[in-house]
Amino acid sequence: HVLGESIRHGGHADILREGLDGRTGLRAEHETQIDEEARAAYCAKIEQAARSAAPIKA
């Protein structure tokens, strides 16, 4: 069970990393090009969600 959960969370982290840093693989020969405009829009969307979830200062 623990191994399965660790693998699942590792996969989730890799998906997030790909979206944030633009790299799609561990080695250059396995990478695919990411659309930079789509990546920038995605990063802005994530940033907005994080800011809206941040606690409001009194």
Side-chain angles (χ1 to χ4, degrees):
H1 173 74
V2 172
L3 180 59
E5 286 296 312
S6 297
I7 291 169
R8 186 178 358 263
H9 291 300
H12 293 158
D14 194 44
I15 290 168
L16 291 172
R17 180 198 53 82
E18 288 174 3
L20 294 172
D21 72 9
R23 296 200 54 190
T24 60
L26 296 175
R27 295 190 202 153
E29 64 266 18
H30 298 295
E31 287 193 27
T32 57
Q33 196 70 342
I34 287 182
D35 178 359
E36 288 299 323
E37 286 183 28
R39 180 176 171 266
Y42 179 74
C43 288
K45 180 180 175 182
I46 296 296
E47 182 68 28
Q48 180 60 36
R51 289 185 191 278
S52 68
I56 298 172
K57 294 181 181 178

mmCIF file of all heavy atoms in Angstrom:
data_model
loop_
_atom_site.group_PDB
_atom_site.id
_atom_site.type_symbol
_atom_site.label_atom_id
_atom_site.label_comp_id
_atom_site.label_asym_id
_atom_site.label_seq_id
_atom_site.Cartn_x
_atom_site.Cartn_y
_atom_site.Cartn_z
ATOM 1 N N HIS A 1 0.830 -1.194 0.000
ATOM 2 C CA HIS A 1 0.000 0.000 0.000
ATOM 3 C C HIS A 1 0.875 1.259 0.000
ATOM 4 O O HIS A 1 0.614 2.186 -0.756
ATOM 5 C CB HIS A 1 -0.935 -0.025 1.194
ATOM 6 C CG HIS A 1 -1.704 1.236 1.383
ATOM 7 N ND1 HIS A 1 -2.761 1.576 0.568
ATOM 8 C CD2 HIS A 1 -1.565 2.246 2.258
ATOM 9 C CE1 HIS A 1 -3.233 2.747 0.963
ATOM 10 N NE2 HIS A 1 -2.526 3.171 1.990
ATOM 11 N N VAL A 2 1.876 1.283 0.849
ATOM 12 C CA VAL A 2 2.742 2.462 0.949
ATOM 13 C C VAL A 2 3.482 2.687 -0.361
ATOM 14 O O VAL A 2 3.593 3.818 -0.840
ATOM 15 C CB VAL A 2 3.735 2.323 2.132
ATOM 16 C CG1 VAL A 2 4.751 3.441 2.129
ATOM 17 C CG2 VAL A 2 2.978 2.286 3.446
ATOM 18 N N LEU A 3 3.969 1.623 -0.964
ATOM 19 C CA LEU A 3 4.680 1.751 -2.241
ATOM 20 C C LEU A 3 3.747 2.303 -3.315
ATOM 21 O O LEU A 3 4.116 3.215 -4.059
ATOM 22 C CB LEU A 3 5.242 0.398 -2.675
ATOM 23 C CG LEU A 3 6.013 0.394 -3.984
ATOM 24 C CD1 LEU A 3 7.203 1.341 -3.910
ATOM 25 C CD2 LEU A 3 6.478 -1.021 -4.302
ATOM 26 N N GLY A 4 2.539 1.796 -3.398
ATOM 27 C CA GLY A 4 1.576 2.292 -4.385
ATOM 28 C C GLY A 4 1.261 3.762 -4.194
ATOM 29 O O GLY A 4 1.197 4.529 -5.163
ATOM 30 N N GLU A 5 1.085 4.180 -2.950
ATOM 31 C CA GLU A 5 0.819 5.592 -2.662
ATOM 32 C C GLU A 5 2.021 6.465 -3.010
ATOM 33 O O GLU A 5 1.866 7.557 -3.546
ATOM 34 C CB GLU A 5 0.447 5.782 -1.188
ATOM 35 C CG GLU A 5 -0.943 5.301 -0.845
ATOM 36 C CD GLU A 5 -2.019 6.106 -1.558
ATOM 37 O OE1 GLU A 5 -1.976 7.339 -1.545
ATOM 38 O OE2 GLU A 5 -2.918 5.472 -2.142
ATOM 39 N N SER A 6 3.205 5.981 -2.711
ATOM 40 C CA SER A 6 4.422 6.748 -3.029
ATOM 41 C C SER A 6 4.569 6.941 -4.530
ATOM 42 O O SER A 6 4.901 8.040 -4.996
ATOM 43 C CB SER A 6 5.665 6.038 -2.485
ATOM 44 O OG SER A 6 5.611 5.970 -1.083
ATOM 45 N N ILE A 7 4.306 5.898 -5.294
ATOM 46 C CA ILE A 7 4.391 5.983 -6.754
ATOM 47 C C ILE A 7 3.345 6.948 -7.292
ATOM 48 O O ILE A 7 3.626 7.785 -8.152
ATOM 49 C CB ILE A 7 4.230 4.586 -7.381
ATOM 50 C CG1 ILE A 7 5.460 3.735 -7.048
ATOM 51 C CG2 ILE A 7 4.020 4.675 -8.882
ATOM 52 C CD1 ILE A 7 5.294 2.276 -7.377
ATOM 53 N N ARG A 8 2.135 6.869 -6.773
ATOM 54 C CA ARG A 8 1.059 7.751 -7.227
ATOM 55 C C ARG A 8 1.407 9.218 -6.957
ATOM 56 O O ARG A 8 1.274 10.074 -7.822
ATOM 57 C CB ARG A 8 -0.254 7.389 -6.541
ATOM 58 C CG ARG A 8 -1.442 8.151 -7.051
ATOM 59 C CD ARG A 8 -2.775 7.749 -6.407
ATOM 60 N NE ARG A 8 -2.745 6.687 -5.441
ATOM 61 C CZ ARG A 8 -3.019 5.404 -5.703
ATOM 62 N NH1 ARG A 8 -3.345 5.038 -6.908
ATOM 63 N NH2 ARG A 8 -2.973 4.498 -4.756
ATOM 64 N N HIS A 9 1.890 9.513 -5.754
ATOM 65 C CA HIS A 9 2.244 10.893 -5.414
ATOM 66 C C HIS A 9 3.456 11.366 -6.209
ATOM 67 O O HIS A 9 3.527 12.535 -6.588
ATOM 68 C CB HIS A 9 2.486 11.040 -3.915
ATOM 69 C CG HIS A 9 1.240 10.897 -3.109
ATOM 70 N ND1 HIS A 9 0.165 11.732 -3.258
ATOM 71 C CD2 HIS A 9 0.885 10.001 -2.166
ATOM 72 C CE1 HIS A 9 -0.800 11.358 -2.438
ATOM 73 N NE2 HIS A 9 -0.391 10.311 -1.768
ATOM 74 N N GLY A 10 4.391 10.470 -6.472
ATOM 75 C CA GLY A 10 5.537 10.823 -7.316
ATOM 76 C C GLY A 10 5.086 11.204 -8.715
ATOM 77 O O GLY A 10 5.596 12.155 -9.309
ATOM 78 N N GLY A 11 4.117 10.500 -9.242
ATOM 79 C CA GLY A 11 3.569 10.821 -10.565
ATOM 80 C C GLY A 11 2.877 12.170 -10.566
ATOM 81 O O GLY A 11 3.016 12.958 -11.500
ATOM 82 N N HIS A 12 2.146 12.457 -9.500
ATOM 83 C CA HIS A 12 1.483 13.762 -9.397
ATOM 84 C C HIS A 12 2.520 14.875 -9.367
ATOM 85 O O HIS A 12 2.364 15.900 -10.037
ATOM 86 C CB HIS A 12 0.619 13.842 -8.138
ATOM 87 C CG HIS A 12 -0.555 12.924 -8.159
ATOM 88 N ND1 HIS A 12 -1.190 12.517 -7.023
ATOM 89 C CD2 HIS A 12 -1.215 12.329 -9.180
ATOM 90 C CE1 HIS A 12 -2.188 11.709 -7.328
ATOM 91 N NE2 HIS A 12 -2.220 11.577 -8.643
ATOM 92 N N ALA A 13 3.577 14.680 -8.597
ATOM 93 C CA ALA A 13 4.627 15.700 -8.497
ATOM 94 C C ALA A 13 5.301 15.908 -9.854
ATOM 95 O O ALA A 13 5.625 17.043 -10.224
ATOM 96 C CB ALA A 13 5.659 15.298 -7.452
ATOM 97 N N ASP A 14 5.491 14.835 -10.601
ATOM 98 C CA ASP A 14 6.125 14.947 -11.916
ATOM 99 C C ASP A 14 5.240 15.733 -12.882
ATOM 100 O O ASP A 14 5.732 16.551 -13.655
ATOM 101 C CB ASP A 14 6.437 13.562 -12.476
ATOM 102 C CG ASP A 14 7.382 13.619 -13.645
ATOM 103 O OD1 ASP A 14 8.385 14.366 -13.559
ATOM 104 O OD2 ASP A 14 7.140 12.925 -14.643
ATOM 105 N N ILE A 15 3.947 15.515 -12.829
ATOM 106 C CA ILE A 15 3.021 16.260 -13.682
ATOM 107 C C ILE A 15 3.087 17.748 -13.354
ATOM 108 O O ILE A 15 3.143 18.595 -14.251
ATOM 109 C CB ILE A 15 1.574 15.725 -13.525
ATOM 110 C CG1 ILE A 15 1.466 14.338 -14.145
ATOM 111 C CG2 ILE A 15 0.562 16.683 -14.147
ATOM 112 C CD1 ILE A 15 0.192 13.604 -13.798
ATOM 113 N N LEU A 16 3.107 18.080 -12.073
ATOM 114 C CA LEU A 16 3.213 19.484 -11.671
ATOM 115 C C LEU A 16 4.540 20.081 -12.116
ATOM 116 O O LEU A 16 4.598 21.208 -12.606
ATOM 117 C CB LEU A 16 3.062 19.617 -10.155
ATOM 118 C CG LEU A 16 1.670 19.325 -9.615
ATOM 119 C CD1 LEU A 16 1.687 19.308 -8.098
ATOM 120 C CD2 LEU A 16 0.674 20.333 -10.136
ATOM 121 N N ARG A 17 5.624 19.335 -11.946
ATOM 122 C CA ARG A 17 6.937 19.814 -12.357
ATOM 123 C C ARG A 17 6.967 20.084 -13.850
ATOM 124 O O ARG A 17 7.465 21.123 -14.292
ATOM 125 C CB ARG A 17 8.032 18.797 -12.001
ATOM 126 C CG ARG A 17 9.420 19.262 -12.421
ATOM 127 C CD ARG A 17 10.425 18.119 -12.490
ATOM 128 N NE ARG A 17 10.003 17.006 -13.298
ATOM 129 C CZ ARG A 17 10.100 16.943 -14.633
ATOM 130 N NH1 ARG A 17 10.555 17.958 -15.323
ATOM 131 N NH2 ARG A 17 9.717 15.872 -15.280
ATOM 132 N N GLU A 18 6.416 19.184 -14.637
ATOM 133 C CA GLU A 18 6.389 19.378 -16.084
ATOM 134 C C GLU A 18 5.661 20.666 -16.451
ATOM 135 O O GLU A 18 6.095 21.406 -17.320
ATOM 136 C CB GLU A 18 5.707 18.193 -16.774
ATOM 137 C CG GLU A 18 6.526 16.942 -16.766
ATOM 138 C CD GLU A 18 5.773 15.739 -17.319
ATOM 139 O OE1 GLU A 18 4.616 15.894 -17.764
ATOM 140 O OE2 GLU A 18 6.336 14.643 -17.303
ATOM 141 N N GLY A 19 4.554 20.917 -15.773
ATOM 142 C CA GLY A 19 3.794 22.125 -16.061
ATOM 143 C C GLY A 19 4.501 23.393 -15.655
ATOM 144 O O GLY A 19 4.358 24.429 -16.291
ATOM 145 N N LEU A 20 5.297 23.320 -14.611
ATOM 146 C CA LEU A 20 5.958 24.522 -14.106
ATOM 147 C C LEU A 20 7.298 24.804 -14.765
ATOM 148 O O LEU A 20 7.600 25.948 -15.082
ATOM 149 C CB LEU A 20 6.133 24.425 -12.592
ATOM 150 C CG LEU A 20 4.821 24.435 -11.815
ATOM 151 C CD1 LEU A 20 5.085 24.147 -10.353
ATOM 152 C CD2 LEU A 20 4.105 25.745 -11.989
ATOM 153 N N ASP A 21 8.119 23.786 -14.948
ATOM 154 C CA ASP A 21 9.449 24.066 -15.503
ATOM 155 C C ASP A 21 9.554 23.809 -16.999
ATOM 156 O O ASP A 21 10.547 24.140 -17.616
ATOM 157 C CB ASP A 21 10.546 23.335 -14.743
ATOM 158 C CG ASP A 21 10.578 21.830 -14.972
ATOM 159 O OD1 ASP A 21 9.859 21.324 -15.844
ATOM 160 O OD2 ASP A 21 11.347 21.164 -14.268
ATOM 161 N N GLY A 22 8.523 23.223 -17.604
ATOM 162 C CA GLY A 22 8.516 23.046 -19.043
ATOM 163 C C GLY A 22 9.252 21.826 -19.553
ATOM 164 O O GLY A 22 9.237 21.545 -20.741
ATOM 165 N N ARG A 23 9.883 21.077 -18.672
ATOM 166 C CA ARG A 23 10.589 19.869 -19.104
ATOM 167 C C ARG A 23 9.632 18.686 -19.038
ATOM 168 O O ARG A 23 8.858 18.562 -18.107
ATOM 169 C CB ARG A 23 11.792 19.616 -18.219
ATOM 170 C CG ARG A 23 12.801 20.741 -18.364
ATOM 171 C CD ARG A 23 14.153 20.363 -17.920
ATOM 172 N NE ARG A 23 14.572 19.163 -18.604
ATOM 173 C CZ ARG A 23 15.658 18.489 -18.275
ATOM 174 N NH1 ARG A 23 16.411 18.895 -17.298
ATOM 175 N NH2 ARG A 23 15.992 17.399 -18.927
ATOM 176 N N THR A 24 9.720 17.818 -20.029
ATOM 177 C CA THR A 24 8.787 16.695 -20.088
ATOM 178 C C THR A 24 9.452 15.346 -19.895
ATOM 179 O O THR A 24 8.810 14.324 -20.003
ATOM 180 C CB THR A 24 8.053 16.672 -21.436
ATOM 181 O OG1 THR A 24 9.021 16.550 -22.468
ATOM 182 C CG2 THR A 24 7.225 17.925 -21.630
ATOM 183 N N GLY A 25 10.714 15.319 -19.626
ATOM 184 C CA GLY A 25 11.401 14.046 -19.441
ATOM 185 C C GLY A 25 12.667 14.230 -18.635
ATOM 186 O O GLY A 25 13.076 15.339 -18.309
ATOM 187 N N LEU A 26 13.284 13.119 -18.320
ATOM 188 C CA LEU A 26 14.522 13.167 -17.555
ATOM 189 C C LEU A 26 15.740 13.374 -18.451
ATOM 190 O O LEU A 26 16.750 13.907 -18.023
ATOM 191 C CB LEU A 26 14.695 11.881 -16.749
ATOM 192 C CG LEU A 26 13.634 11.646 -15.674
ATOM 193 C CD1 LEU A 26 13.828 10.289 -15.020
ATOM 194 C CD2 LEU A 26 13.684 12.740 -14.629
ATOM 195 N N ARG A 27 15.644 12.923 -19.700
ATOM 196 C CA ARG A 27 16.760 13.050 -20.633
ATOM 197 C C ARG A 27 16.318 13.848 -21.851
ATOM 198 O O ARG A 27 15.168 13.792 -22.261
ATOM 199 C CB ARG A 27 17.210 11.675 -21.112
ATOM 200 C CG ARG A 27 17.786 10.808 -20.048
ATOM 201 C CD ARG A 27 18.410 9.607 -20.723
ATOM 202 N NE ARG A 27 18.528 8.510 -19.811
ATOM 203 C CZ ARG A 27 18.531 7.243 -20.174
ATOM 204 N NH1 ARG A 27 18.372 6.932 -21.442
ATOM 205 N NH2 ARG A 27 18.668 6.305 -19.290
ATOM 206 N N ALA A 28 17.264 14.564 -22.440
ATOM 207 C CA ALA A 28 16.949 15.412 -23.590
ATOM 208 C C ALA A 28 16.341 14.613 -24.748
ATOM 209 O O ALA A 28 15.440 15.098 -25.427
ATOM 210 C CB ALA A 28 18.204 16.140 -24.054
ATOM 211 N N GLU A 29 16.796 13.405 -24.973
ATOM 212 C CA GLU A 29 16.283 12.624 -26.105
ATOM 213 C C GLU A 29 14.838 12.170 -25.916
ATOM 214 O O GLU A 29 14.182 11.759 -26.868
ATOM 215 C CB GLU A 29 17.181 11.410 -26.407
ATOM 216 C CG GLU A 29 17.236 10.379 -25.303
ATOM 217 C CD GLU A 29 18.403 10.577 -24.345
ATOM 218 O OE1 GLU A 29 18.982 11.674 -24.299
ATOM 219 O OE2 GLU A 29 18.726 9.618 -23.637
ATOM 220 N N HIS A 30 14.321 12.277 -24.698
ATOM 221 C CA HIS A 30 12.939 11.880 -24.426
ATOM 222 C C HIS A 30 12.009 13.077 -24.248
ATOM 223 O O HIS A 30 10.820 12.896 -24.008
ATOM 224 C CB HIS A 30 12.867 11.002 -23.174
ATOM 225 C CG HIS A 30 13.624 9.727 -23.308
ATOM 226 N ND1 HIS A 30 13.280 8.749 -24.206
ATOM 227 C CD2 HIS A 30 14.724 9.290 -22.675
ATOM 228 C CE1 HIS A 30 14.129 7.747 -24.112
ATOM 229 N NE2 HIS A 30 15.024 8.054 -23.175
ATOM 230 N N GLU A 31 12.519 14.271 -24.354
ATOM 231 C CA GLU A 31 11.704 15.463 -24.136
ATOM 232 C C GLU A 31 10.928 15.855 -25.385
ATOM 233 O O GLU A 31 11.357 15.634 -26.491
ATOM 234 C CB GLU A 31 12.571 16.648 -23.705
ATOM 235 C CG GLU A 31 13.064 16.505 -22.295
ATOM 236 C CD GLU A 31 13.645 17.799 -21.771
ATOM 237 O OE1 GLU A 31 13.251 18.876 -22.234
ATOM 238 O OE2 GLU A 31 14.493 17.712 -20.882
ATOM 239 N N THR A 32 9.775 16.448 -25.157
ATOM 240 C CA THR A 32 8.985 17.034 -26.228
ATOM 241 C C THR A 32 8.857 18.521 -25.942
ATOM 242 O O THR A 32 8.893 18.953 -24.788
ATOM 243 C CB THR A 32 7.582 16.405 -26.322
ATOM 244 O OG1 THR A 32 6.927 16.545 -25.072
ATOM 245 C CG2 THR A 32 7.668 14.940 -26.702
ATOM 246 N N GLN A 33 8.696 19.294 -26.982
ATOM 247 C CA GLN A 33 8.599 20.751 -26.833
ATOM 248 C C GLN A 33 7.239 21.124 -26.248
ATOM 249 O O GLN A 33 6.213 20.600 -26.648
ATOM 250 C CB GLN A 33 8.786 21.411 -28.192
ATOM 251 C CG GLN A 33 9.080 22.878 -28.125
ATOM 252 C CD GLN A 33 10.466 23.182 -27.578
ATOM 253 O OE1 GLN A 33 11.096 22.365 -26.955
ATOM 254 N NE2 GLN A 33 10.936 24.373 -27.811
ATOM 255 N N ILE A 34 7.247 22.031 -25.297
ATOM 256 C CA ILE A 34 6.008 22.517 -24.685
ATOM 257 C C ILE A 34 5.680 23.883 -25.268
ATOM 258 O O ILE A 34 6.564 24.711 -25.465
ATOM 259 C CB ILE A 34 6.155 22.608 -23.163
ATOM 260 C CG1 ILE A 34 6.161 21.201 -22.569
ATOM 261 C CG2 ILE A 34 5.053 23.431 -22.535
ATOM 262 C CD1 ILE A 34 6.260 21.168 -21.066
ATOM 263 N N ASP A 35 4.406 24.107 -25.532
ATOM 264 C CA ASP A 35 3.932 25.392 -26.024
ATOM 265 C C ASP A 35 4.138 26.429 -24.918
ATOM 266 O O ASP A 35 3.499 26.372 -23.862
ATOM 267 C CB ASP A 35 2.452 25.269 -26.393
ATOM 268 C CG ASP A 35 1.835 26.564 -26.884
ATOM 269 O OD1 ASP A 35 2.534 27.599 -26.935
ATOM 270 O OD2 ASP A 35 0.643 26.533 -27.218
ATOM 271 N N GLU A 36 5.031 27.380 -25.146
ATOM 272 C CA GLU A 36 5.389 28.363 -24.118
ATOM 273 C C GLU A 36 4.221 29.268 -23.735
ATOM 274 O O GLU A 36 4.089 29.646 -22.576
ATOM 275 C CB GLU A 36 6.586 29.197 -24.564
ATOM 276 C CG GLU A 36 7.897 28.419 -24.564
ATOM 277 C CD GLU A 36 8.298 27.896 -23.189
ATOM 278 O OE1 GLU A 36 8.077 28.599 -22.180
ATOM 279 O OE2 GLU A 36 8.822 26.768 -23.126
ATOM 280 N N GLU A 37 3.371 29.620 -24.685
ATOM 281 C CA GLU A 37 2.200 30.450 -24.357
ATOM 282 C C GLU A 37 1.242 29.697 -23.452
ATOM 283 O O GLU A 37 0.729 30.252 -22.479
ATOM 284 C CB GLU A 37 1.483 30.895 -25.628
ATOM 285 C CG GLU A 37 2.205 31.975 -26.395
ATOM 286 C CD GLU A 37 1.412 32.438 -27.602
ATOM 287 O OE1 GLU A 37 0.169 32.346 -27.577
ATOM 288 O OE2 GLU A 37 2.041 32.908 -28.553
ATOM 289 N N ALA A 38 1.002 28.434 -23.759
ATOM 290 C CA ALA A 38 0.115 27.611 -22.932
ATOM 291 C C ALA A 38 0.727 27.419 -21.544
ATOM 292 O O ALA A 38 0.017 27.458 -20.533
ATOM 293 C CB ALA A 38 -0.133 26.262 -23.593
ATOM 294 N N ARG A 39 2.040 27.241 -21.477
ATOM 295 C CA ARG A 39 2.731 27.076 -20.197
ATOM 296 C C ARG A 39 2.606 28.336 -19.353
ATOM 297 O O ARG A 39 2.331 28.269 -18.153
ATOM 298 C CB ARG A 39 4.198 26.741 -20.432
ATOM 299 C CG ARG A 39 4.985 26.557 -19.164
ATOM 300 C CD ARG A 39 6.423 26.138 -19.498
ATOM 301 N NE ARG A 39 7.203 26.174 -18.299
ATOM 302 C CZ ARG A 39 7.935 27.211 -17.913
ATOM 303 N NH1 ARG A 39 8.015 28.280 -18.655
ATOM 304 N NH2 ARG A 39 8.613 27.168 -16.794
ATOM 305 N N ALA A 40 2.795 29.501 -19.957
ATOM 306 C CA ALA A 40 2.686 30.768 -19.233
ATOM 307 C C ALA A 40 1.262 30.969 -18.705
ATOM 308 O O ALA A 40 1.073 31.409 -17.562
ATOM 309 C CB ALA A 40 3.093 31.924 -20.130
ATOM 310 N N ALA A 41 0.272 30.629 -19.512
ATOM 311 C CA ALA A 41 -1.123 30.759 -19.088
ATOM 312 C C ALA A 41 -1.421 29.812 -17.932
ATOM 313 O O ALA A 41 -2.107 30.169 -16.968
ATOM 314 C CB ALA A 41 -2.066 30.486 -20.260
ATOM 315 N N TYR A 42 -0.878 28.606 -18.010
ATOM 316 C CA TYR A 42 -1.075 27.610 -16.951
ATOM 317 C C TYR A 42 -0.424 28.089 -15.645
ATOM 318 O O TYR A 42 -1.035 28.011 -14.577
ATOM 319 C CB TYR A 42 -0.498 26.265 -17.379
ATOM 320 C CG TYR A 42 -0.621 25.185 -16.344
ATOM 321 C CD1 TYR A 42 -1.842 24.587 -16.086
ATOM 322 C CD2 TYR A 42 0.491 24.760 -15.630
ATOM 323 C CE1 TYR A 42 -1.957 23.593 -15.131
ATOM 324 C CE2 TYR A 42 0.384 23.771 -14.678
ATOM 325 C CZ TYR A 42 -0.845 23.183 -14.423
ATOM 326 O OH TYR A 42 -0.954 22.201 -13.480
ATOM 327 N N CYS A 43 0.792 28.603 -15.740
ATOM 328 C CA CYS A 43 1.487 29.106 -14.550
ATOM 329 C C CYS A 43 0.716 30.263 -13.928
ATOM 330 O O CYS A 43 0.607 30.351 -12.702
ATOM 331 C CB CYS A 43 2.912 29.525 -14.903
ATOM 332 S SG CYS A 43 4.013 28.133 -15.233
ATOM 333 N N ALA A 44 0.172 31.154 -14.748
ATOM 334 C CA ALA A 44 -0.614 32.276 -14.239
ATOM 335 C C ALA A 44 -1.874 31.772 -13.539
ATOM 336 O O ALA A 44 -2.266 32.301 -12.488
ATOM 337 C CB ALA A 44 -0.980 33.224 -15.375
ATOM 338 N N LYS A 45 -2.491 30.744 -14.089
ATOM 339 C CA LYS A 45 -3.691 30.163 -13.488
ATOM 340 C C LYS A 45 -3.370 29.558 -12.123
ATOM 341 O O LYS A 45 -4.109 29.767 -11.151
ATOM 342 C CB LYS A 45 -4.256 29.091 -14.426
ATOM 343 C CG LYS A 45 -5.500 28.411 -13.935
ATOM 344 C CD LYS A 45 -5.954 27.390 -14.961
ATOM 345 C CE LYS A 45 -7.126 26.580 -14.469
ATOM 346 N NZ LYS A 45 -7.543 25.570 -15.431
ATOM 347 N N ILE A 46 -2.263 28.839 -12.024
ATOM 348 C CA ILE A 46 -1.845 28.236 -10.761
ATOM 349 C C ILE A 46 -1.514 29.326 -9.736
ATOM 350 O O ILE A 46 -1.889 29.243 -8.567
ATOM 351 C CB ILE A 46 -0.629 27.308 -10.973
ATOM 352 C CG1 ILE A 46 -1.001 26.136 -11.873
ATOM 353 C CG2 ILE A 46 -0.067 26.819 -9.643
ATOM 354 C CD1 ILE A 46 -2.039 25.208 -11.317
ATOM 355 N N GLU A 47 -0.806 30.356 -10.183
ATOM 356 C CA GLU A 47 -0.444 31.467 -9.297
ATOM 357 C C GLU A 47 -1.693 32.162 -8.761
ATOM 358 O O GLU A 47 -1.782 32.476 -7.572
ATOM 359 C CB GLU A 47 0.430 32.471 -10.051
ATOM 360 C CG GLU A 47 0.905 33.624 -9.216
ATOM 361 C CD GLU A 47 1.892 33.236 -8.139
ATOM 362 O OE1 GLU A 47 2.619 32.244 -8.316
ATOM 363 O OE2 GLU A 47 1.940 33.930 -7.110
ATOM 364 N N GLN A 48 -2.678 32.397 -9.616
ATOM 365 C CA GLN A 48 -3.924 33.037 -9.195
ATOM 366 C C GLN A 48 -4.658 32.172 -8.177
ATOM 367 O O GLN A 48 -5.180 32.681 -7.185
ATOM 368 C CB GLN A 48 -4.820 33.320 -10.406
ATOM 369 C CG GLN A 48 -6.127 33.984 -10.050
ATOM 370 C CD GLN A 48 -5.945 35.320 -9.364
ATOM 371 O OE1 GLN A 48 -5.039 36.073 -9.685
ATOM 372 N NE2 GLN A 48 -6.788 35.617 -8.413
ATOM 373 N N ALA A 49 -4.694 30.873 -8.411
ATOM 374 C CA ALA A 49 -5.360 29.967 -7.470
ATOM 375 C C ALA A 49 -4.653 29.982 -6.118
ATOM 376 O O ALA A 49 -5.303 29.999 -5.066
ATOM 377 C CB ALA A 49 -5.391 28.552 -8.034
ATOM 378 N N ALA A 50 -3.324 30.014 -6.137
ATOM 379 C CA ALA A 50 -2.563 30.050 -4.886
ATOM 380 C C ALA A 50 -2.815 31.348 -4.131
ATOM 381 O O ALA A 50 -2.992 31.349 -2.913
ATOM 382 C CB ALA A 50 -1.075 29.879 -5.179
ATOM 383 N N ARG A 51 -2.838 32.444 -4.854
ATOM 384 C CA ARG A 51 -3.073 33.739 -4.201
ATOM 385 C C ARG A 51 -4.486 33.821 -3.616
ATOM 386 O O ARG A 51 -4.688 34.367 -2.535
ATOM 387 C CB ARG A 51 -2.841 34.880 -5.179
ATOM 388 C CG ARG A 51 -1.383 35.066 -5.519
ATOM 389 C CD ARG A 51 -1.180 36.293 -6.398
ATOM 390 N NE ARG A 51 0.156 36.330 -6.918
ATOM 391 C CZ ARG A 51 1.210 36.781 -6.251
ATOM 392 N NH1 ARG A 51 1.070 37.198 -5.019
ATOM 393 N NH2 ARG A 51 2.413 36.783 -6.802
ATOM 394 N N SER A 52 -5.466 33.280 -4.315
ATOM 395 C CA SER A 52 -6.838 33.340 -3.809
ATOM 396 C C SER A 52 -7.040 32.416 -2.618
ATOM 397 O O SER A 52 -7.935 32.639 -1.803
ATOM 398 C CB SER A 52 -7.839 33.015 -4.916
ATOM 399 O OG SER A 52 -7.738 31.673 -5.306
ATOM 400 N N ALA A 53 -6.208 31.389 -2.489
ATOM 401 C CA ALA A 53 -6.309 30.453 -1.364
ATOM 402 C C ALA A 53 -5.499 30.910 -0.159
ATOM 403 O O ALA A 53 -5.664 30.380 0.932
ATOM 404 C CB ALA A 53 -5.845 29.069 -1.797
ATOM 405 N N ALA A 54 -4.640 31.916 -0.345
ATOM 406 C CA ALA A 54 -3.812 32.413 0.756
ATOM 407 C C ALA A 54 -4.686 33.076 1.812
ATOM 408 O O ALA A 54 -5.694 33.688 1.486
ATOM 409 C CB ALA A 54 -2.775 33.395 0.216
ATOM 410 N N PRO A 55 -4.282 32.943 3.061
ATOM 411 C CA PRO A 55 -5.074 33.591 4.105
ATOM 412 C C PRO A 55 -5.058 35.112 3.954
ATOM 413 O O PRO A 55 -4.075 35.698 3.524
ATOM 414 C CB PRO A 55 -4.373 33.169 5.400
ATOM 415 C CG PRO A 55 -3.036 32.683 5.000
ATOM 416 C CD PRO A 55 -3.131 32.250 3.576
ATOM 417 N N ILE A 56 -6.168 35.722 4.296
ATOM 418 C CA ILE A 56 -6.290 37.181 4.201
ATOM 419 C C ILE A 56 -5.709 37.789 5.465
ATOM 420 O O ILE A 56 -6.060 37.397 6.583
ATOM 421 C CB ILE A 56 -7.768 37.584 4.034
ATOM 422 C CG1 ILE A 56 -8.322 36.992 2.744
ATOM 423 C CG2 ILE A 56 -7.918 39.091 4.066
ATOM 424 C CD1 ILE A 56 -9.812 37.170 2.581
ATOM 425 N N LYS A 57 -4.829 38.766 5.289
ATOM 426 C CA LYS A 57 -4.219 39.435 6.444
ATOM 427 C C LYS A 57 -5.186 40.484 6.984
ATOM 428 O O LYS A 57 -5.790 41.229 6.239
ATOM 429 C CB LYS A 57 -2.901 40.080 6.031
ATOM 430 C CG LYS A 57 -1.860 39.080 5.630
ATOM 431 C CD LYS A 57 -0.569 39.751 5.255
ATOM 432 C CE LYS A 57 0.456 38.709 4.833
ATOM 433 N NZ LYS A 57 1.710 39.314 4.428
ATOM 434 N N ALA A 58 -5.308 40.523 8.301
ATOM 435 C CA ALA A 58 -6.224 41.479 8.939
ATOM 436 C C ALA A 58 -5.558 42.806 9.175
ATOM 437 O O ALA A 58 -4.446 43.024 9.222
ATOM 438 C CB ALA A 58 -6.732 40.911 10.251
#
